[in-house]
Amino acid sequence: MKANNLYKLLIGAVAALMLLASGTGTAMAAAAGTSANTTISNSATINYKVATIDQAAVSSNTATFKVDRKVDFTVVTDESAIVSVTPGSSGNVLKFTVDNTGNDTFDFDLAAVDLNGASAKFGGTDNINASATAVYVDANSNDTYDSGTDTATSIDDLAAGSNVTVFIVGSFATGLTNNDIASYYLRATAKDSSGSALTDDSSSADVTGTVQNVLATDDGPAPTDGNLDAIDSDYADYKVNTATITVTKSSTVISDPVNGTTNPKAIPGAVIEYTLTISNSAGTATATNITLSDSLNTEIATNGYLAFNTQYDATSGKGIKIGHPDYSSGAETEYTNADDGAEFGGVSADWNITGTNVVTVSGVTLDASESATVKFRVTVQ
């Protein structure tokens, strides 16, 4: 047999073997490739004739090598937009997927790392941190954080071609400002299946029969996450969504015993009207169950400067006037001085009941850009 024909036969045999192999492991090969530590052994056989007579086949030695370990995986956030949080809340979740695209089973250490003042993923700038964060692995594969069920803080034995959902869970203090942003990286570091660090053998000579590591992850955004290492990362954002409530208080002289209602002055016997304006800023969350307390106890009981007018206008026993968006389009309405439950539009008011010499108003709800007013009158002593 001529050498050229023998070569063609060998090439054909190798091609046939490759086709057979491709028909038995396509999904795994596409996901992660041949498994690390797989031993591949093969030899060649030569058949030939002498004077048209077949001779005994000649076999080559067996060439053997082990498939090395490709350390490759991705961390990708599952969030497509910023996650809104309320000050004082806990259990706020940022969701990520860790996908093992390498060719061996790996463990992963996980960490939540704050962005520290850089540009947020979905717009704006990181300017706060959560009061506490933790990282948990999805235990039941339902892609939803379940407190008490999802308790593992690292990934154990993630097989090649497999993925798992990971949650950053954050808590936020009260007192935060609307539109504050807290961004966090999920940083994952691959370890071998025993939890040991993976060293990179890329710059070392190939050692036949020994499984060596090739670190192949792409460069990620988190600090210390470089190119071709055992680390990958992605990030997502929390954004504070809260009401921005302000209250202002002003006083107007209504009348005095000398001038009446013409240019009155705040002399003894004068009637003074207090106006309190409660406002919620534009673009904020709805504020519910707003309660206002205005104590006059020092002015009345301690110093004797003022007396509360139990009759605001024409009706005896009604000394408080309130206007808020959830009743009569904000028209001002007189309230009794007694605490007789939620009155007009769910708002209640009282004088000297909830607190001594205190005007108390509760149950006000304000959407963004809405305001409420509370008015009452006193007489200068």
Side-chain angles (χ1 to χ4, degrees), residues 60-133:
S60 73
N61 62 295
T62 300
T64 300
F65 68 91
K66 286 183 178 292
V67 175
D68 290 320
R69 181 182 293 111
K70 182 182 179 183
V71 182
D72 200 8
F73 65 97
T74 60
V75 175
V76 178
T77 183
D78 294 350
E79 307 299 344
S80 58
I82 206 156
V83 174
S84 293
V85 297
T86 302
S89 65
S90 59
N92 301 286
V93 174
L94 299 176
K95 189 164 67 171
F96 299 81
T97 297
V98 178
D99 193 353
N100 183 1
T101 56
N103 67 338
D104 203 359
T105 296
F106 299 117
D107 292 347
F108 293 89
D109 289 343
L110 303 169
V113 181
D114 65 86
L115 196 61
N116 196 25
S119 296
K121 188 176 186 74
F122 299 112
T125 302
D126 169 89
N127 67 317
I128 63 166
N129 290 332
S131 58
T133 57

Side-chain angles (χ1 to χ4, degrees), residues 15-357:
L17 288 171
M18 291 178 67
L19 286 171
L20 287 171
S22 67
T24 59
T26 304
M28 181 59 74
T34 304
S35 298
N37 203 34
T38 298
T39 299
I40 297 179
S41 300
N42 56 51
S43 61
T45 301
I46 294 177
N47 295 292
Y48 65 101
K49 293 181 180 183
V50 175
T52 71
I53 300 172
D54 290 328
Q55 303 297 307
V58 177
S59 298
S60 73
N61 62 295
T62 300
T64 300
F65 68 91
K66 286 183 178 292
V67 175
D68 290 320
R69 181 182 293 111
K70 182 182 179 183
V71 182
D72 200 8
F73 65 97
T74 60
V75 175
V76 178
T77 183
D78 294 350
E79 307 299 344
S80 58
I82 206 156
V83 174
S84 293
V85 297
T86 302
S89 65
S90 59
N92 301 286
V93 174
L94 299 176
K95 189 164 67 171
F96 299 81
T97 297
V98 178
D99 193 353
N100 183 1
T101 56
N103 67 338
D104 203 359
T105 296
F106 299 117
D107 292 347
F108 293 89
D109 289 343
L110 303 169
V113 181
D114 65 86
L115 196 61
N116 196 25
S119 296
K121 188 176 186 74
F122 299 112
T125 302
D126 169 89
N127 67 317
I128 63 166
N129 290 332
S131 58
T133 57
V135 179
Y136 297 109
V137 181
D138 187 8
N140 52 12
S141 301
N142 67 349
D143 290 332
T144 300
Y145 172 62
D146 300 308
S147 178
T149 298
D150 302 328
T151 58
T153 57
S154 61
I155 300 172
D156 185 43
D157 290 341
L158 184 63
S162 299
N163 59 64
V164 66
T165 300
V166 176
F167 311 103
I168 292 178
V169 183
S171 299
F172 288 82
T174 57
L176 300 175
T177 301
N178 195 53
N179 295 326
D180 281 345
I181 294 175
S183 299
Y184 282 88
Y185 303 102
L186 176 67
R187 186 176 64 200
T189 303
K191 303 291 186 72
D192 69 20
S193 59
S194 68
S196 299
L198 293 163
T199 57
D200 190 14
D201 298 318
S202 295
S203 60
S204 303
D206 182 61
V207 180
T208 301
T210 298
V211 177
Q212 295 174 283
N213 299 321
V214 177
L215 307 188
T217 62
D218 292 333
D219 191 6
T224 74
D225 182 2
N227 194 35
L228 303 181
D229 58 12
I231 301 172
D232 199 25
S233 59
D234 199 3
Y235 66 113
D237 316 316
Y238 296 111
K239 189 174 186 177
V240 174
N241 182 28
T242 187
T244 303
I245 297 297
T246 59
V247 57
T248 59
K249 185 175 183 178
S250 62
S251 63
T252 303
V253 182
I254 300 300
S255 65
D256 72 47
V258 176
N259 300 294
T261 58
T262 303
N263 298 321
K265 302 297 185 289
I267 61 176
V271 175
I272 309 296
E273 180 176 274
Y274 283 118
T275 299
L276 296 103
T277 303
I278 309 166
S279 299
N280 191 7
S281 297
T284 62
T286 297
T288 61
N289 199 30
I290 298 170
T291 298
L292 177 143
S293 296
D294 192 347
S295 175
L296 302 177
N297 196 55
T298 298
E299 292 79 1
I300 292 175
T302 303
N303 298 323
Y305 295 154
L306 301 175
F308 181 80
N309 290 15
T310 58
Q311 181 174 326
Y312 178 89
D313 199 358
T315 306
S316 177
K318 291 188 175 182
I320 305 168
K321 182 176 280 190
I322 302 171
H324 67 97
D326 291 333
Y327 181 73
S328 190
S329 301
E332 293 181 343
T333 304
E334 291 183 3
Y335 283 65
T336 64
N337 303 322
D339 182 13
D340 45 9
E343 296 180 289
F344 308 101
V347 172
S348 63
D350 69 74
W351 159 255
N352 200 33
I353 295 177
T354 301
T356 302
N357 294 320

